[in-house]
Amino acid sequence: MNYQPSTNASVVEIKNLGHFFGEGKLRKQILFDIDLTLRSGEVVIMKGPSGSGKTTLLTLMGGLRSAQSGSLKVLEQELVGAKKRKLVEIRKNIGYIFQSHNLLESLTARQNVQMSLELHKGFSTQEIKAKSIAILEEVGLGEHVNYHPHNLSGGQKQRVAIARALVSHPKMVLADEPTAALDSKSGRGVVELMQKLATEQGCTILIVTHDDRILDVADRIVELEDGRITNQLTINN
């Protein structure tokens, strides 16, 4: 599936979403009556205390777990009750960036980035290599394409993760605490780079963070507490 949302279209549309962990007497509700829309090209930051449900909501939007109740549409596809095959197809349109980088230590920076493109049909081996090198150059790692992760700094590893997330030109990028393990300067640079590249590609970014230093990059800030959205603040019009 290759979705093409129009300008200002709803990339994510959530209505009355609820989510539970556990079964029987251990069943616990984590998300309550979530209503949220993410539009094409928008940068949204989601903040809130630990345990408020931010990462759970992000993983549901990303098709990394199945949504249970209410409505969760991603790229016009309903994910509540969706089969595994549909979730897999949706994930091909989404880039993921995590605090821990999730790079494979046995692969070079270029090979880690290539893995993302190899999920997509229609690219030759040479195209995959060329695109991977090109985006690593865009994130300032042109001289590090053949470095393994253990030879890169934390900020450089996160830049590889950004390149991997964006190389296939996804419709949406989901970033979970992307600056948590970085110092102030590196963290700022990483987020501004995400903003720049994703804006150029016209995709939506959702950043889950506790880092108040990066709030100004957002078009909108969504606050979550105890599994409920408590506030939405528009920053840039």
Side-chain angles (χ1 to χ4, degrees), residues 79-232:
L79 298 192
V80 171
K83 302 292 187 183
K84 185 177 179 180
R85 182 175 179 180
K86 179 183 278 190
L87 297 179
V88 169
E89 288 299 319
I90 283 290
R91 290 200 292 266
K92 291 179 181 179
N93 294 273
I94 300 172
Y96 304 90
I97 303 169
F98 300 99
Q99 174 183 342
S100 58
H101 321 303
N102 290 350
L103 302 180
L104 293 180
E105 291 290 334
S106 61
L107 302 182
T108 64
R110 174 178 60 79
Q111 290 167 334
N112 268 284
V113 173
Q114 284 181 191
M115 288 181 63
S116 179
L117 278 178
E118 287 165 355
L119 296 173
H120 298 265
K121 298 178 180 178
F123 295 113
S124 69
T125 301
Q126 284 303 110
E127 284 178 314
I128 288 173
K129 183 176 180 179
K131 286 178 179 292
S132 299
I133 291 173
I135 198 158
L136 283 167
E137 289 174 345
E138 282 195 68
V139 302
L141 293 177
E143 296 181 359
H144 297 78
V145 295
N146 294 317
Y147 282 47
H148 287 80
H150 64 268
N151 289 321
L152 299 173
S153 69
Q156 289 171 331
K157 289 178 185 177
Q158 199 60 297
R159 287 170 181 262
V160 176
I162 290 170
R164 182 182 59 191
L166 289 170
V167 67
S168 62
H169 286 236
K171 305 298 183 295
M172 178 167 64
V173 171
L174 300 174
D176 193 4
E177 299 285 2
T179 66
L182 305 178
D183 60 45
S184 177
K185 183 178 180 181
S186 296
R188 183 77 194 179
V190 159
V191 172
E192 289 180 347
L193 182 61
M194 287 172 55
Q195 181 189 35
K196 172 180 176 290
L197 293 180
T199 298
E200 289 173 356
Q201 293 187 7
C203 77
T204 302
I205 314 175
L206 175 69
I207 303 171
V208 166
T209 188
H210 287 98
D211 191 348
D212 288 343
R213 300 169 299 184
I214 64 171
L215 298 183
D216 60 302
V217 306
D219 297 307
R220 188 156 44 104
I221 297 172
V222 176
E223 297 181 10
L224 202 65
E225 189 167 351
D226 295 329
R228 301 178 188 272
I229 292 178
T230 57
N231 191 32
Q232 293 194 51

Side-chain angles (χ1 to χ4, degrees), residues 37-49:
T37 299
L38 304 183
R39 299 198 175 279
S40 181
E42 192 176 30
V43 179
V44 176
I45 284 181
M46 185 181 297
K47 58 179 294 191

